[in-house]
Amino acid sequence: MQVSIIGTGYVGLVSGVCFAEKGHQVLCVDIDPTKVEKINQGISPFYEPGLDELLERNIHTRLKATTEFRQAILETDVSLIAVGTPFDGREVDLTYVKQAAKQVGEALKDKSTYHLVIVKSTVVPGTTDQVVLPILEAASGKKAGVDFGVGMNPEFLTEGEAVSDFMYPDRIVLGGIDDQSIDLLGELYSGFEGVDRLRTNNSTAEMIKYTSNSLLALLISFSNEVGNLCAAIGNTDIVDVMQGVHNSRYLTTILPDGERIVPPITSFLAAGCGFGGSCLPKDVKALIAHGEKHNSPMPLLDAVIRVNQAQPQQVIDRLHKHFPSLQGIRIAILGLSFRPNTNDMRESPAIPLIKDLLAQKAVLKAYDPVANREAAHILGSDRIDFCDSLAQVLENVDAVVLITRWDEFRSVPQLLSQSDPQPLFIDGRRLLDKHSIDRYEGIGL
Ligand code: NAD
């Protein structure tokens, strides 16, 4: 199929590259000419494992990036809108979605053949039918369901694993205003055999995405709340508590030979310094705001956000246990991105934590395998010494704080074993064995 993708961020570019890999002809459209230029040179504008390789293989054969909206719509059969939908402090900000819909609609005015418009951005239930569809009709002067189709296809990829998530999806949700829209959207995914497909309306498709993210956020905040109680009680460890919980037959399947199948959901039933990223915080907040708008408050999700926002303080409290004042205390920060294998810093718990430490006049060093530059851009580089290696960041410090679960950090016990005296170590993710470091402190311990 001939596909245009509007917005070449994490979702748009990964979708575009993967659809090209599956054999479609893809035009990626963005308003940012620098991004477009980079993509056309075969370079991804952001770090994502495996993406550069697929991009290089498909660029200029099945994939091209452009800033030319009209041409992209005219030359393709299907357009996917994958622009950002940030939270503006009150509700989901649909500015970019509305702009993209208007631009697609204006191009459709000059199109004589049927076109399918799909919303791939995460938007609150009702947006595709009540906001995007009317904009498309007004801008094109054409009729949805007759001249063009409209659908909603939420994306479930996780940054850091985006390419494999997209190439091997766990589900494909096909929302649409009619069978023709859903059938054509289904054709776009014809190369993804054996994956469960759910045909539904647009509003339900939109709600599936929010519900999925809200559940994950809920499990994390639940684990953090219980972990904080474990720490307050004393002599109780959240890691062992959760191991006992995971072993429930409701969570793990026990095969006839006694082997346990540990489902990935248990990774969300773990305490840490809080969730971040471009999705969970903003999506939960947007759903709460949407609930209020519809007179259906969501106190449970309200609490999920409150618990999460308070969680970085758990790290500060542990530092204060050992250093009543942090002024002049030399602290190494391990990991800056919101999760491993990405340089995305959006809503990373590292940001409020580092700001607080700087306000308390701590002396900071930091190291992230790929996000140093992005973090320096957000936090400034004048008061933080960004290091090039793990060994370097661990040199001459009073305390070490682990924020991101990078695999590389598993070698910290060995590296610290050579330090004399040993710095205090605070495990913000419970990544390491608590017995592997002398002065170990962890969330939920
Ligand atoms: P992003 O901020 O990385 O990218 C958005 C892109 O859209 C930018 O390159 C921007 O220049 C471009 N853009 C904005 N307005 C445009 C316009 N009118 N025409 C063309 N391009 C335009 O965003 P993202 O992280 O890829 O997220 C996109 C959507 O997908 C959001 O709704 C998000 O919630 C959802 N989502 C994101 C993830 C994720 O892990 N990042 C996962 C699932 C769903």
Side-chain angles (χ1 to χ4, degrees), residues 85 92 122-125 205-215 282-284 286-287:
T85 48
V92 60
T122 303
V123 290
V124 287
E206 290 160 337
M207 193 65 183
I208 289 170
K209 174 67 191 173
Y210 279 97
T211 308
S212 300
N213 275 359
S214 297
L215 174 66
K282 84 161 171 72
D283 290 349
V284 175
L287 195 61

Side-chain angles (χ1 to χ4, degrees), residues 9-11 30 35 69 85 103 122 155 159 279 282 346:
Y10 287 86
V11 166
D30 207 288
K35 266 191 186 174
F69 234 94
T85 48
Q103 283 165 301
T122 303
E155 180 50 56
E159 285 173 28
C279 290
K282 84 161 171 72
R346 289 179 284 186

Side-chain angles (χ1 to χ4, degrees), residues 82-319:
V83 296
T85 48
F87 183 71
D88 69 6
R90 245 174 2 100
E91 59 181 354
V92 60
D93 179 357
L94 295 175
T95 310
Y96 304 112
V97 170
K98 287 178 183 171
Q99 272 168 2
K102 188 159 178 272
Q103 283 165 301
V104 173
E106 279 164 0
L108 284 182
K109 208 187 317 190
D110 300 328
K111 199 162 181 198
S112 52
T113 50
Y114 182 86
H115 195 89
L116 177 64
V117 184
I118 298 295
V119 175
K120 203 165 200 12
S121 299
T122 303
V123 290
V124 287
T127 305
T128 303
D129 291 344
Q130 291 156 33
V131 178
V132 174
L133 188 150
I135 292 175
L136 290 169
E137 286 191 332
S140 66
K142 296 190 170 182
K143 190 93 195 98
V146 180
D147 307 304
F148 63 90
V150 181
M152 204 283 147
N153 170 227
E155 180 50 56
F156 299 98
L157 63 77
T158 303
E159 285 173 28
E161 293 159 31
V163 172
S164 62
D165 281 354
F166 198 94
M167 293 301 272
Y168 306 100
D170 47 10
R171 66 202 124 158
I172 298 172
V173 175
L174 308 169
I177 51 166
D178 52 19
D179 280 342
Q180 192 178 2
S181 304
I182 299 177
D183 288 347
L184 201 53
L185 175 58
E187 262 180 54
L188 181 64
Y189 284 96
S190 59
F192 298 79
E193 279 146 30
V195 183
D196 281 343
R197 285 156 189 251
L198 192 95
R199 292 172 67 99
T200 186
N201 61 34
N202 289 330
S203 186
T204 307
E206 290 160 337
M207 193 65 183
I208 289 170
K209 174 67 191 173
Y210 279 97
T211 308
S212 300
N213 275 359
S214 297
L215 174 66
L216 300 181
L218 177 89
L219 294 181
I220 297 170
S221 279
F222 167 74
S223 310
N224 285 338
E225 191 168 87
V226 177
N228 296 346
L229 180 60
C230 289
I233 295 166
N235 207 23
T236 315
D237 185 351
I238 188 68
V239 170
D240 294 341
V241 169
M242 281 307 180
Q243 186 58 56
V245 173
H246 296 173
N247 283 356
S248 153
R249 66 179 71 248
Y250 294 120
L251 286 168
T252 57
T253 303
I254 306 166
L255 299 179
D257 66 1
E259 193 198 340
R260 272 182 191 275
I261 306 296
V262 180
I265 190 78
T266 55
S267 68
F268 292 87
L269 279 166
C273 57
F275 59 79
S278 70
C279 290
L280 292 198
K282 84 161 171 72
D283 290 349
V284 175
K285 287 178 201 163
L287 195 61
I288 295 168
H290 205 52
E292 273 162 22
K293 207 167 153 184
H294 289 265
N295 211 12
S296 180
M298 308 193 83
L300 188 60
L301 293 185
D302 262 333
V304 166
I305 293 295
R306 270 186 280 121
V307 169
N308 193 56
Q309 283 168 344
Q311 205 58 14
Q313 184 62 37
Q314 290 289 323
V315 172
I316 304 280
D317 290 348
R318 274 157 186 76
L319 282 166

